[in-house]
Amino acid sequence: MATATATPPDQTAPAPKKTKVPERSFGERWGDKKGWARRVPLLPALAFIVIMTQLPFVATILVSFTNWNANYPDEIKFGTLQNFVTVFTDAGLRQSVFFTILLTVTVVLVSLAFGLGIALLLNRNFIGRGAVRTMMIAPFLVVPVAAALLWKHAMYNPEYGLFNGLLTQVFGASAPQPDWITDFPRLAIMGELIWQWTPFMTLILLAGLQSRPGDVMEAAQVDGANAWQTFANMTMPHMRRYLELAGLLGTIYIIQQFDSVFTLTAGAYGTANLPYTIYQTLYNAQDYGLASAQGVIVVIGTIIIATFALRTVSSLFEEGN
Amino acid sequence: MTTALAANPSKTAAEKRASNARVRNNRRGSKGGIFLGLLAWVIGIIFVFPVFYMLLTSLHSEFDAATNPPSFFAPLTLDGYREFFGASSGASPWPPLINSATASIVSTIVVILLAIPAAYALSVKPVEKWTDVMFFFLSTKFLPAVAGLLPLYIIAKTIGVLDNINFIVILYTAMNLPIAVWMLRSFLADIPVELFEAASIDGAGLIRTLRSIIVPIISPGIAATALICFIFSWNELLLANTLTSIVAQTAPVFLTSFVTSQGLFLAKVCAAATAVSLPVLIAGFAAQDKLVQGLSLGAVK
Amino acid sequence: MRLTSKLVAAVGLSTVLAATAACSGAGGAGGVGGGGGGASDNSINVLMVNNPQMLALQKHIGEFTKQSGITVNFTVKPENDMRNQAAQEFANQSGQFDVATLSNFEVPIYSKNGWLTPLDDIPAYKADTTFDQADIFPSMTKSLTGPDGKLYGEPFYGESSFLMYRKDIAEKVGVKFNETPTWDEVAAAAAKMDGAESGMKGICLRGLPGWGEVFAPLTTVVNTFGGTWFDKDWNAQVNAQPFKDATTFYTDLVKAHGEAGAAQAGFAECLTATTQSKTAMWYDATSAAGSLEAPDSPVKGKMGYVQAPVKETKASGWLYAWSWMIEKKSTKADNAWKFISWASGKDYENLVGQQDGWATVPAGKRESTYANADYIKAAGAFAEPTKTAIESADPTNPGVQPRPTVGIQFVDIPEFTDFATKISQDISGVIAGKTTVDEALDNGQKLAQAAGDKYKGK
């Protein structure tokens, strides 16, 4: 367990497994009946995923080299790089790249930090622990677009939203009444997402804490380790994988976040992230070629990020059997 | 209601935590313990409050819902829900709700059926380069759905499956399959190899091995995976919003069209948001322990 | 590093695999026609915006089904979503909908691309004796006629824009309005009315991003301030002085005396604010009056209505008609027409008048509505100003200079929806205090000019 602390990238590939057969030529493997017996159960899922996720992107790549604008159906031509020129010179798209990164990093890190703190609290014995855990999970179980609507209208609304309502309740009629979404557009989106994703992080980290081997903890205590030492030397190394897993899953979903941006600000005030920008090019401008080029760039970008992200979390696999 | 549901899970996890709890209780003074317990309560209440407020507002009249400061103790009414169920518009939310249920349940079943053999091939008797396959599965989750929206629309239009719930089922299957393979593989990796060896000596074929050995053992894991897939399918908006219109419209799409331009609508929107979230809330509360396991086991093995 | 190359290889390989699949799949792409069909033949699918008048129609649709035996399936969405879906639907001729609520903005563009069914081609239209096309305002019929001279849609309700104000508040603070006030008078009145009652602001003006949201009223202000989006040779005029003056005036006014949350306020929010006495004036669509004077409205009978405020032009109201149009792909044009004929017909107005109150009738399209004693009695306060506003709106010459194309609160080119939406986000940002008028319009000038360049010399 303790080996998980420092893993040089080189060792990320799986350790050789007991069951693994020695290296053979491709021909040998191809003809190997046992090998096929192993591969067959995998094939339906693999084929399905390849077709369903790769096929549309091949089409996207093809369209990105056209000047296809739905408003000019008679002028479609293949074989232009203009869309890519536009993509790289578009200030609006650069801004949306920046905001996508900012949004993902902020939401994931803050929810992870909150999630860890809350998981530590929930891992203790106290009256009504089950009830508190149930309350903590609730935000994750609200349908995202419903949550976005709830925050837009019932929380942030300057006239009758809960936040300003509570301000009035506490400070009286002269209380400040900020217009949350327009005064703090980015924070408004981040706040809503952190509220939704903290429970998710808490769940994963709580499971991690509960799988801490008790005897080791007890041994540490017998050795006279104080609470902080136990946390830093025993808990955190154990939790590293769980933090990585939570961070990875969070990143996957926040980077593609659409519902909140769509609902809360519709991309105004510098809150258009990449998915929303592509959506707008697709629908508002009806510029299918440009939208596809944007999509291609995003896919290339995310493959690069995904590669790094997966490398860092590859400790998840290292003890795989 | 919340406490009743929560009682069960805490009991089932009790054994696991017993030794941890002993350590902590010895360590902490009772004063600090009480403070931290209170802190947990406060944080829990802060997080659940918007959900509670959504529920409360959904039971208020439109007038009481739109006051500043909020009228927490206003009389309760079901008007918001009546509106949601089409009292004045005549538009029933049932077809979208049924569509969402169909899409979520059917796609979840297909996902599980495809993912169990795949997970088997990636853990019990792993194929060569199984980590690469795992990475490939996960990498597809990084591809933004919006970039595939146009081709999907054109393909759907061409083969005549626009506004067709079966097409949505297929898309949701593709959306959740990688996560399901990933989760189920970690459950399978827990099973002692000896069990499979015994089965192969018996001469059991793959299907029998899966049916009689694997599925019974990892059924809690399958339940957790299914729950996660169900939640993500039920929640999906972008694809459904583009690819469905009348017949196959799903509940989240219905919800976005529910925000009208007619004066006060807060109670109505809260009622709709609550109603649409209810299946997920119930499923999630009932199976929160499974949720914890399902989301975390990928990290253990 | 090893992992990186493996991952890239894995993704690359699968892409190649998929490419092969794509090629074999693409062969069929051209040939197969859209399925459509599905539901029973006697049903039509209608996509519409979720404005109050449409929601009322949804409620009354049983009446139509009873008469005709035709079932109508509605998909109702908020304006921006509805526009997105309609654009995608019509551009791809997807065949999911038979009828959609479009407007005079889409007619020239869509008809040119052959996406709409000309009404004159429909047997049921030619055979229809009750609809009475001549009763529709000539300006409406004209704006729904394509460049080819064919009629492509029927208005469900027509609207211009005008100024709505609380008579009691105006009296209280000593403000009087001419039949056509100037914007300077309105700004002065807004200052006086601001705070006339506790929690009441002077004026409600849209600030919500969207070409059809903030830019609808703002463009009419630009027009009357002497500005324009483009001069007649397609040179963008977005950061020219008149456009800047108008935008500065508009954003200053709404910041100083406008509604709370102005940057996120659209038609819906302003309607709520005015109904709840949170604003004393409101400059917006004439169709709003029907909701303000509805039987259950708290401000019923308290509102006064005057023409759209002006500066350098004689009138500045916009012209807009949510209209029914039939997709070219639709195979049910006859049934679709029967639905349109019913929804835009005289009998439907009577039905709404009797059941929901005459003020809420989808008006602004028929001469006969304004000759109906019941309607005039209920809608007396705004019927005449509405009619005047619609009749005095001139889409071909709404400002002080010649224009390259038609449109009052929009420029009738497909690119407008995109660049105007982008600029509107910055205008909303000005109202929210995030950016300045100069910055927003300098940026806007570039976006507009890029679109204008496509048309130069054409």
Side-chain angles (χ1 to χ4, degrees):
Chain A
M1 178 205 115
T3 53
T5 33
T7 315
D10 295 6
Q11 291 177 15
T12 52
K17 294 172 297 289
K18 273 177 264 169
T19 52
K20 198 173 174 182
V21 286
E23 286 292 324
R24 292 169 303 164
S25 77
F26 182 76
E28 270 176 313
R29 271 185 284 153
W30 184 260
D32 177 12
K33 264 192 176 170
K34 270 196 171 166
W36 275 107
R38 289 179 176 188
R39 278 171 223 144
V40 163
L42 175 66
L43 291 181
L46 194 59
F48 186 78
I49 281 293
V50 167
I51 292 170
M52 291 311 296
T53 63
Q54 309 298 303
L55 187 78
F57 287 106
V58 173
T60 306
I61 292 170
L62 293 179
V63 176
S64 72
F65 292 105
T66 69
N67 65 343
W68 187 1
N69 182 312
N71 288 310
Y72 299 98
D74 303 330
E75 299 171 18
I76 302 170
K77 272 199 272 329
F78 181 79
T80 170
L81 289 173
Q82 185 53 45
N83 295 322
F84 290 95
V85 175
T86 311
V87 165
F88 284 109
T89 51
D90 183 0
L93 192 70
R94 271 201 300 280
Q95 201 196 8
S96 70
V97 170
F98 172 73
F99 180 63
T100 307
I101 295 171
L102 182 74
L103 181 72
T104 310
V105 170
T106 312
V107 172
V108 170
L109 288 185
V110 174
S111 340
L112 265 183
F114 281 1
L116 182 61
I118 295 166
L120 285 168
L121 283 175
L122 284 179
N123 196 39
R124 302 168 33 82
N125 259 337
F126 62 90
I127 301 163
R129 185 167 73 169
V132 173
R133 190 175 78 167
T134 307
M135 295 196 294
M136 269 312 301
I137 296 176
F140 181 63
L141 300 177
V142 178
V143 172
V145 66
L149 285 170
L150 170 73
W151 279 69
K152 181 182 169 113
H153 296 295
M155 300 280 125
Y156 288 140
N157 186 294
E159 288 279 319
Y160 47 81
L162 181 64
F163 289 149
N164 283 355
L166 289 178
L167 284 175
T168 311
Q169 196 134 50
V170 176
F171 298 107
S174 60
Q177 298 278 287
D179 184 350
W180 299 90
I181 290 181
T182 51
D183 291 351
F184 318 102
R186 290 180 166 181
L187 285 178
I189 291 178
M190 289 171 182
E192 191 258 326
L193 286 173
I194 289 169
W195 173 78
Q196 264 220 303
W197 283 89
T198 297
F200 181 77
M201 306 298 191
T202 307
L203 282 177
I204 295 177
L205 299 176
L206 185 60
L209 287 174
Q210 292 180 353
S211 71
R212 242 179 346 176
D215 45 348
V216 180
M217 309 305 290
E218 254 170 290
Q221 214 183 358
V222 172
D223 288 350
N226 66 23
W228 171 249
Q229 282 168 331
T230 318
F231 177 75
N233 298 326
M234 308 298 304
T235 306
M236 281 313 279
H238 170 74
M239 290 301 288
R240 188 189 143 192
R241 293 175 157 209
Y242 292 88
L243 286 165
E244 284 173 351
L245 177 80
L248 176 73
L249 290 176
T251 307
I252 286 176
Y253 286 99
I254 307 290
I255 209 166
Q256 302 203 32
Q257 172 56 44
F258 174 79
D259 303 11
S260 295
V261 174
F262 174 77
T263 307
L264 285 174
T265 60
Y269 328 121
T271 61
N273 64 350
L274 279 167
Y276 190 79
T277 303
I278 297 176
Y279 175 85
Q280 271 204 315
T281 313
L282 201 56
Y283 284 102
N284 238 332
Q286 296 269 306
D287 194 334
Y288 293 176
L290 181 60
S292 300
Q294 290 172 337
V296 168
I297 298 300
V298 172
V299 169
I300 293 173
T302 40
I303 285 178
I304 294 171
I305 293 174
T307 309
F308 279 108
L310 289 176
R311 265 177 63 176
T312 58
V313 300
S314 51
S315 72
L316 296 178
F317 287 99
E318 69 191 8
E319 281 173 21
N321 53 341
Chain B
M1 176 190 107
T2 46
T3 44
L5 276 173
N8 265 337
S10 63
K11 206 186 289 168
T12 52
E15 311 91 85
K16 264 195 241 167
R17 285 193 300 256
S19 61
N20 279 348
R22 218 179 318 129
V23 173
R24 279 189 314 271
N25 288 349
N26 293 343
R27 196 167 64 219
R28 303 272 159 158
S30 65
K31 238 187 202 169
I34 289 170
F35 170 74
L36 290 173
L38 273 178
L39 184 63
W41 268 98
V42 169
I43 293 174
I45 288 170
I46 289 174
F47 269 85
V48 84
F49 200 77
V51 181
F52 166 75
Y53 189 64
M54 171 174 83
L55 193 66
L56 185 68
T57 308
S58 75
L59 293 168
H60 280 164
S61 70
E62 293 294 358
F63 181 79
D64 292 324
T67 58
N68 182 349
S71 328
F72 291 114
F73 303 106
L76 303 183
T77 159
L78 284 173
D79 282 357
Y81 290 91
R82 273 187 209 110
E83 284 296 309
F84 176 71
F85 284 101
S88 62
S89 70
S92 165
W94 284 112
L97 285 170
I98 291 167
N99 281 332
S100 269
T102 311
S104 310
I105 293 169
V106 177
S107 78
T108 301
I109 292 171
V110 179
V111 164
I112 298 293
L113 288 180
L114 286 173
I116 291 176
Y120 174 83
L122 291 169
S123 63
V124 179
K125 289 181 179 172
V127 297
E128 316 91 73
K129 304 200 184 303
W130 65 269
T131 43
D132 292 358
V133 179
M134 291 293 290
F135 283 133
F136 170 70
F137 271 122
L138 206 59
S139 75
T140 64
K141 289 301 297 172
F142 275 94
L143 303 177
V146 67
L149 219 46
L150 174 70
L152 287 176
Y153 186 85
I154 305 291
I155 292 168
K157 185 202 138 198
T158 308
I159 61 178
V161 293
L162 268 180
D163 199 20
N164 183 328
I165 200 68
N166 296 326
F167 189 56
I168 298 294
V169 167
I170 292 173
L171 291 177
Y172 287 180
T173 305
M175 175 177 89
N176 284 326
L177 190 52
I179 294 284
V181 169
W182 219 49
M183 282 171 62
L184 286 178
R185 198 203 73 86
S186 67
F187 286 104
L188 279 172
D190 265 353
I191 302 176
V193 186
E194 295 75 34
L195 261 176
F196 298 107
E197 278 163 5
S200 72
I201 289 166
D202 282 357
L206 171 69
I207 298 198
R208 231 191 86 197
T209 313
L210 283 178
R211 252 203 5 226
S212 57
I213 303 184
I214 296 186
V215 171
I217 295 180
I218 61 163
S219 60
I222 295 176
T225 311
L227 180 63
I228 293 284
C229 294
F230 175 82
I231 292 178
F232 285 139
S233 300
W234 186 277
N235 287 351
E236 205 282 330
L237 171 69
L238 185 62
L239 293 170
N241 197 27
T242 303
L243 300 169
T244 71
S245 48
I246 296 167
V247 187
Q249 192 184 56
T250 63
V253 179
F254 182 80
L255 186 57
T256 58
S257 56
F258 203 70
V259 184
T260 77
S261 35
Q262 286 197 100
L264 298 172
F265 59 90
L266 196 56
K268 213 166 93 170
V269 166
C270 283
T274 309
V276 168
S277 300
L278 210 58
V280 179
L281 279 165
I282 291 172
F285 282 149
Q288 46 182 302
D289 252 27
K290 295 222 162 56
L291 207 56
V292 174
Q293 286 175 0
L295 283 170
S296 61
L297 276 175
V300 187
K301 282 279 171 158
Chain C
M1 274 346 294
R2 212 176 124 218
L3 179 61
T4 318
S5 58
K6 274 180 180 179
L7 182 70
V8 171
V11 173
L13 177 69
S14 61
T15 309
V16 173
L17 282 176
T20 347
C23 289
S24 56
V32 189
S40 71
D41 255 345
N42 249 354
S43 73
I44 58 165
N45 295 339
V46 176
L47 174 64
M48 64 182 184
V49 68
N50 68 355
N51 288 352
Q53 292 85 342
M54 279 74 173
L55 294 176
L57 179 79
Q58 189 177 15
K59 194 176 69 182
H60 292 304
I61 194 65
E63 203 64 36
F64 171 67
T65 307
K66 219 189 294 168
Q67 284 174 23
S68 64
I70 300 168
T71 320
V72 183
N73 305 311
F74 289 111
T75 296
V76 186
K77 297 207 164 188
E79 184 168 333
N80 285 342
D81 291 0
M82 199 284 303
R83 286 183 187 286
N84 283 341
Q85 186 157 12
Q88 190 182 38
E89 165 78 21
F90 280 76
N92 290 294
Q93 290 290 297
S94 305
Q96 295 189 80
F97 295 102
D98 301 290
V99 178
T101 47
L102 297 172
S103 70
N104 44 328
F105 173 78
E106 283 88 1
V107 167
I109 303 164
Y110 284 21
S111 65
K112 195 169 139 267
N113 285 334
W115 294 342
L116 304 172
T117 306
L119 298 183
D120 321 83
D121 293 1
I122 303 173
Y125 173 74
K126 285 186 274 192
D128 197 323
T129 49
T130 53
F131 183 74
D132 193 1
Q133 185 73 43
D135 188 36
I136 304 287
F137 286 145
S139 62
M140 292 285 162
T141 302
K142 193 181 153 211
S143 73
L144 297 172
T145 302
D148 57 359
K150 289 181 174 172
L151 183 63
Y152 284 98
E154 294 294 353
F156 180 48
Y157 64 84
E159 63 181 33
S160 180
S161 56
F162 61 12
L163 183 74
M164 300 160 263
Y165 67 98
R166 284 282 292 274
K167 287 185 289 190
D168 51 336
I169 305 294
E171 201 165 312
K172 186 173 160 191
V173 300
V175 171
K176 275 213 175 81
F177 289 105
N178 300 322
E179 199 195 331
T180 305
T182 68
W183 270 112
D184 295 323
E185 289 164 11
V186 172
K192 275 192 180 169
M193 289 167 149
D194 196 344
E197 277 180 9
S198 140
M200 180 181 273
K201 289 292 190 174
I203 188 165
C204 204
L205 293 170
R206 299 185 196 179
L208 187 67
W211 69 271
E213 289 287 358
V214 61
F215 262 129
L218 177 52
T219 302
T220 68
V221 180
V222 168
N223 286 336
T224 195
F225 269 61
T228 178
W229 283 92
F230 295 99
D231 70 10
K232 68 178 196 320
D233 301 316
W234 289 109
N235 298 305
Q237 301 292 316
V238 176
N239 62 356
Q241 203 56 43
F243 205 117
K244 266 191 190 173
D245 289 344
T247 310
T248 308
F249 172 83
Y250 187 93
T251 52
D252 282 354
L253 177 57
V254 73
K255 278 201 281 191
H257 305 295
E259 70 281 12
Q264 283 289 307
F267 178 85
E269 289 75 12
C270 278
L271 176 58
T272 307
T274 309
T275 326
Q276 294 191 308
S277 300
K278 297 240 162 91
T279 50
M281 290 186 287
W282 179 21
Y283 170 60
D284 215 306
T286 53
S287 58
S291 301
L292 295 178
E293 303 289 345
D296 57 350
S297 164
V299 294
K300 179 176 174 250
K302 292 182 180 168
M303 306 297 298
Y305 304 88
V306 290
Q307 294 300 300
V310 295
K311 192 173 174 84
E312 287 180 19
T313 56
K314 280 198 180 120
S316 84
W318 70 56
L319 187 68
Y320 197 75
W322 278 114
S323 310
W324 309 111
M325 289 176 212
I326 304 173
E327 192 174 322
K328 186 81 180 185
K329 182 95 182 182
S330 169
T331 54
K332 300 169 182 167
D334 269 335
N335 282 352
W337 169 259
K338 284 179 197 155
F339 164 73
I340 294 173
S341 174
W342 175 78
S344 292
K346 294 171 191 169
D347 287 349
Y348 179 70
E349 290 189 4
N350 289 331
L351 177 75
V352 174
Q354 281 154 17
Q355 294 197 5
D356 304 344
W358 281 94
T360 67
V361 161
K365 62 177 187 287
R366 287 184 173 271
E367 301 279 3
S368 58
T369 317
Y370 296 86
N372 183 321
D374 290 325
Y375 182 71
I376 296 299
K377 196 174 148 209
F382 63 90
E384 205 49 40
T386 301
K387 194 168 177 242
T388 310
I390 292 175
E391 283 171 346
S392 52
D394 181 0
T396 52
N397 187 25
V400 300
Q401 63 282 91
R403 307 287 174 102
T405 183
V406 294
I408 299 178
Q409 77 280 24
F410 52 76
V411 183
D412 216 312
I413 51 174
E415 289 80 7
F416 182 76
T417 56
D418 185 44
F419 71 75
T421 298
K422 284 180 179 157
I423 303 170
S424 75
Q425 296 186 336
D426 287 340
I427 301 290
S428 183
V430 173
I431 295 169
K434 301 266 158 208
T435 180
T436 64
V437 171
D438 283 356
E439 231 176 294
L441 295 185
D442 286 347
N443 185 34
Q445 170 74 13
K446 284 183 216 141
L447 294 170
Q449 190 58 63
D453 285 345
K454 285 197 193 167
Y455 293 90
K456 272 195 175 171
K458 269 194 191 172

